[in-house]
Amino acid sequence: QMQLEESGGGSVQAGGSLSLSCAASYSTAPYDAYCMAWFRQVPGKEREGVASIGRGTTYYADSVKGRFTISRDNAKKSMDLQMNSLKPEDTGTYYCAATPNWRFCSTLQAGSFNYWGQGMQVTVSS
């Protein structure tokens, strides 16, 4: 079991930056036992993997490589997503997620992640 809560997000103009955070408030296993990830979704489309972070390894969707940076602080049980050079197509509801199964960390597939935050809106205007 794990409970996740996102913070940050909001609205920004294209080319701007936003930072998202995800805090784990409860987990039955140590926080560093989980692969953590960010997903996003827009209405009518499937939830898309954005980035994930394991034990010193990060994975990114091609659409965000070079613009987004994922990080985690195991002592604080938190994860961040720094988003730079934002584009209108980055608009969506962003979710943090976790899985205890490390082999899924590189897949960025929503169905492989067990625990989810409630999601928060990021809007990038042109």
Side-chain angles (χ1 to χ4, degrees), residues 1 3 53-54 83 93 103 112 116 119 124-125:
Q1 284 282 23
Q3 294 178 358
I53 184 166
M83 305 185 293
T93 301
R103 65 187 173 125
S112 299
W116 294 86
V124 184
S125 57

Side-chain angles (χ1 to χ4, degrees), residues 11-109:
S11 298
V12 68
Q13 288 191 329
S17 299
L18 283 174
S19 181
L20 309 181
S21 294
C22 174
S25 60
Y26 174 79
S27 65
T28 54
Y31 181 75
D32 63 1
Y34 295 89
C35 167
M36 303 298 298
W38 289 98
F39 290 78
R40 65 188 180 192
Q41 190 170 24
V42 295
K45 292 190 176 182
E46 293 187 353
R47 197 165 292 187
E48 171 193 23
V50 174
S52 63
I53 184 166
R55 292 167 177 155
T57 304
T58 56
Y59 306 91
Y60 295 94
D62 288 342
S63 59
V64 306
K65 282 180 181 176
R67 301 189 297 121
F68 290 12
T69 302
I70 189 171
S71 61
R72 65 189 291 168
D73 186 330
N74 291 331
K76 295 181 179 179
K77 298 183 179 180
S78 65
M79 173 180 63
D80 293 329
L81 184 68
Q82 178 64 41
M83 305 185 293
N84 299 327
S85 301
L86 283 161
K87 304 175 181 180
E89 51 264 43
D90 294 317
T91 294
T93 301
Y94 281 69
Y95 299 87
C96 72
T99 177
N101 197 328
W102 291 93
R103 65 187 173 125
F104 294 141
C105 204
S106 62
T107 66
L108 289 175
Q109 294 180 355

